Amino acid sequence: MILIVKYFGVIADLTHKKEEQFYVEQGMNSLDQIRLKLEKQYPEIKQVAYAIALNQTVMQQDALVNENDELALLPPFAGG
Amino acid sequence: MKTTNWRCCRLLQEDNMTTSKRYDRQIALPEIGISGQEKITAARVLVVGAGGLGCPVIQNLAAAGIGQIGIVDGDVVAESNLHRQYLFTPNDCGKNKAQVAAMAVLKQNPQVKVLAHPEFFSASNAPEIIANYQIVVDCTDDNATRYLINDMALANGIPMVYAAIHQFEAQLSVFNYQDGPSYRCLFPEQTHLNGLGCADTGVLGVLPNTVGALQATEVFKIVLGLVGVLNGKLLLYDALCHGFKTVAFERNLLEIEKGKQKGKLLNDRKAQNRGEVSAAAFFDALETHSHLIIDIRETYEEPRLENRGIHNIPLAQLEHFIFGVAKKQSVILFCQRGNNSRMAVDYLNQKGFDTVFHLSGGIEALDLNLEQND
């Protein structure tokens, strides 16, 4: 299935993009599975703490994901 | 509605209640009015960090007449700050930011009270600094201090207005507001990970000024009791596309409790350093007989605490009584409201007693329903 993934802050710096369509295989439908696939594709983001919002709500790792859902990877910002 | 408020505004000036024409335009708003201006005037807000975010926050709070503004920053003004921190001038370089900001903002509005704390917000000074404020605004540039601010806000039961920036992006939220989620609920502490500050990544001067104004807006919404506070919501702003996006997040009770306990621990440590014990510690000492407990009130003062572990020694007889007490004895003193007992702690310290405490707030601060009778 296809998901929309949005990247913020230092994660956008590391992935070199702010948004993309992200393909995940059949049966890969928990947020945690998708996080692992994202971290496999972009290993550097493993160094960063981040929350994941699913369709504009921050969710736990066991949340289920559906076709065309929007994910946002939200690291804490530090600058002030 | 507006007409009414304009009339109120004139009455306000005639009564000389909240001051001058300075606030006419905001009092004219139906959501503010005289009562709202009184709330603004009565508000006490602590701003931690007088940098890119802190400067616009302080300027906006002072301009609108926030009654008391505390400014915490141990840093000095640097030339590289001037492109975004508009409270400072080239002549201020090398001077403490909190002090310069306080002086600058007093020129802007002499009607507000501004307290400068020329030190970094830390575990050792946080309890003392934050104690007198109703709202804390997080304008820091490191995440360790954010957890400290969050924990102190939780322990003191006050909201925290958070913002942080990264290049052209910003985050904004209000934590611990009306039992809402905390910073830890959104970002549980992971000590091996950290974000980057402005010095590392660069910043366009207008961004913190935009975001600081948004932070100040949240402060006013809280003070005035308006709807739409970013409670349980993280606002994401991208200056390049002027995109605003909001994501929701929920309470995590474990994270809230963790933060609250950390904050309370610091508060308790501060109290002990001042020679105070809490009601809970007082009852604990009564039960365990760990301390010599002395009621220094006159015998007619009510209510009495009937407990075999308590010695009733009015203040005038204290000198005679302690003559026979070993200097290493741990002592807890209490009186009606905690004032005389505080002085008595100093007196016993002078007499060579090292471990002397007094009951904070005196017997009137105790919930006697919890009393442990033996």
Side-chain angles (χ1 to χ4, degrees):
Chain A
M1 64 179 166
I2 302 284
L3 304 171
I4 314 293
V5 183
K6 297 191 171 184
Y7 304 102
F8 291 85
V10 70
I11 291 185
D13 301 343
L14 294 170
T15 60
H16 303 291
K17 57 189 75 165
K18 289 196 169 185
E19 181 176 338
E20 70 176 320
Q21 289 195 332
F22 194 75
Y23 176 78
V24 293
E25 295 80 5
Q26 202 74 26
M28 187 178 274
N29 56 2
S30 80
L31 209 52
D32 197 42
Q33 288 172 315
I34 291 157
R35 179 182 60 80
L36 289 172
K37 185 175 166 76
L38 283 164
E39 290 183 354
K40 197 171 177 184
Q41 182 153 338
Y42 305 109
E44 287 177 300
I45 69 174
K46 281 193 272 190
Q47 304 160 24
V48 182
Y50 59 92
I52 304 180
L54 173 61
N55 299 327
Q56 288 81 50
T57 300
V58 174
M59 302 294 272
Q60 299 301 314
Q61 303 286 357
D62 57 355
L64 295 180
V65 178
N66 295 303
E67 178 86 28
N68 293 325
D69 277 354
E70 180 187 301
L71 267 59
L73 272 57
L74 305 165
F77 293 177
Chain B
M1 193 71 185
K2 280 201 167 181
T3 315
T4 310
N5 275 292
W6 279 111
R7 194 185 307 136
C8 291
C9 189
R10 279 193 290 276
L11 286 172
L12 178 76
Q13 288 155 21
E14 285 162 17
D15 289 348
N16 200 21
M17 281 167 60
T18 316
T19 60
S20 57
K21 290 180 182 172
R22 181 179 189 107
Y23 309 116
D24 278 8
R25 296 298 184 274
Q26 64 195 40
I27 289 172
L29 284 165
E31 290 80 2
I32 298 182
I34 292 176
S35 63
Q37 188 60 44
E38 285 172 346
K39 288 176 189 168
I40 292 173
T41 306
R44 303 187 305 275
V45 181
L46 182 67
V47 181
V48 182
L53 292 168
C55 283
V57 167
I58 294 161
Q59 286 173 300
N60 279 289
L61 298 185
I66 288 282
Q68 183 174 320
I69 302 167
I71 306 172
V72 192
D73 204 319
D75 205 358
V76 295
V77 179
E79 193 180 359
S80 63
N81 300 146
L82 300 180
H83 81 124
R84 66 189 187 282
Q85 299 173 21
Y86 307 153
L87 280 173
F88 308 134
T89 70
N91 286 338
D92 298 322
C93 289
K95 297 177 187 167
N96 173 263
K97 284 186 173 183
Q99 290 172 329
V100 175
M103 293 299 287
V105 91
L106 275 173
K107 281 184 195 157
Q108 183 191 339
N109 186 355
Q111 295 171 351
V112 298
K113 183 177 173 188
V114 186
L115 294 177
H117 302 274
E119 52 197 327
F120 291 108
F121 196 71
S122 69
S124 56
N125 63 21
E128 196 78 42
I129 291 174
I130 207 169
N132 294 319
Y133 295 94
Q134 299 161 322
I135 299 171
V136 59
V137 191
D138 164 23
C139 302
T140 56
D141 59 3
D142 78 280
N143 288 339
T145 309
R146 288 210 161 85
Y147 286 108
L148 176 63
I149 295 170
N150 176 77
D151 297 347
M152 295 311 302
L154 270 171
N156 288 275
I158 63 173
M160 161 187 180
V161 181
Y162 157 79
I165 57 176
H166 178 85
Q167 296 178 5
F168 292 94
E169 295 176 60
Q171 295 176 339
L172 183 76
S173 189
V174 175
F175 302 116
N176 315 323
Y177 178 65
Q178 296 183 341
D179 288 329
S182 75
Y183 183 66
R184 287 179 182 276
C185 301
L186 184 60
F187 299 122
E189 194 167 19
Q190 298 183 50
T191 49
H192 63 294
L193 305 168
N194 211 336
L196 301 172
C198 297
D200 309 307
T201 64
V203 59
L204 185 66
V206 290
L207 181 68
N209 282 281
T210 305
V211 179
L214 295 176
Q215 266 185 301
T217 308
E218 292 305 296
V219 171
F220 291 118
K221 280 152 68 177
I222 295 168
V223 168
L224 294 165
L226 300 181
V227 294
V229 173
L230 287 168
N231 182 15
K233 288 177 183 152
L234 179 70
L235 181 74
L236 305 161
Y237 172 61
D238 187 334
L240 291 179
C241 62
H242 282 305
F244 282 94
K245 181 183 174 71
T246 306
V247 299
F249 58 100
E250 294 188 339
R251 280 155 53 92
N252 178 327
L253 292 178
L254 283 177
E255 289 294 333
I256 289 173
E257 193 55 30
K258 184 195 287 182
K260 193 178 282 183
Q261 289 307 323
K262 282 177 176 253
K264 278 189 172 170
L265 195 67
L266 295 178
N267 274 343
D268 288 348
R269 205 180 291 161
K270 177 196 85 171
Q272 281 177 12
N273 288 342
R274 283 204 319 236
E276 290 178 358
V277 292
S278 64
F282 177 78
F283 283 132
D284 190 51
L286 260 185
E287 195 172 7
T288 60
H289 307 286
S290 56
H291 293 68
L292 179 68
I293 300 179
I294 307 175
D295 182 349
I296 60 166
R297 295 175 300 162
E298 299 301 321
T299 50
Y300 57 80
E301 288 186 275
E302 299 283 349
R304 306 305 299 179
L305 264 185
E306 300 302 330
N307 186 300
R308 284 203 306 272
I310 296 175
H311 299 262
N312 293 295
I313 313 292
L315 195 54
Q317 298 167 28
L318 189 61
E319 183 179 6
H320 178 70
F321 176 79
I322 59 151
F323 187 70
V325 178
K327 297 281 196 293
K328 63 182 178 186
Q329 172 69 50
S330 301
V331 181
I332 296 176
L333 305 160
F334 71 95
C335 63
Q336 199 70 12
R337 295 195 183 87
N339 295 325
N340 285 342
S341 57
R342 186 184 300 118
M343 288 190 291
V345 169
D346 292 339
Y347 172 72
L348 289 192
N349 286 153
Q350 286 165 18
K351 290 287 176 187
F353 288 82
D354 289 332
T355 46
V356 188
F357 303 95
H358 79 113
L359 174 62
S360 176
I363 199 160
E364 291 186 2
L366 290 182
D367 181 352
L368 293 179
N369 293 326
L370 297 173
E371 182 189 343
Q372 314 272 316
N373 287 317
D374 66 358

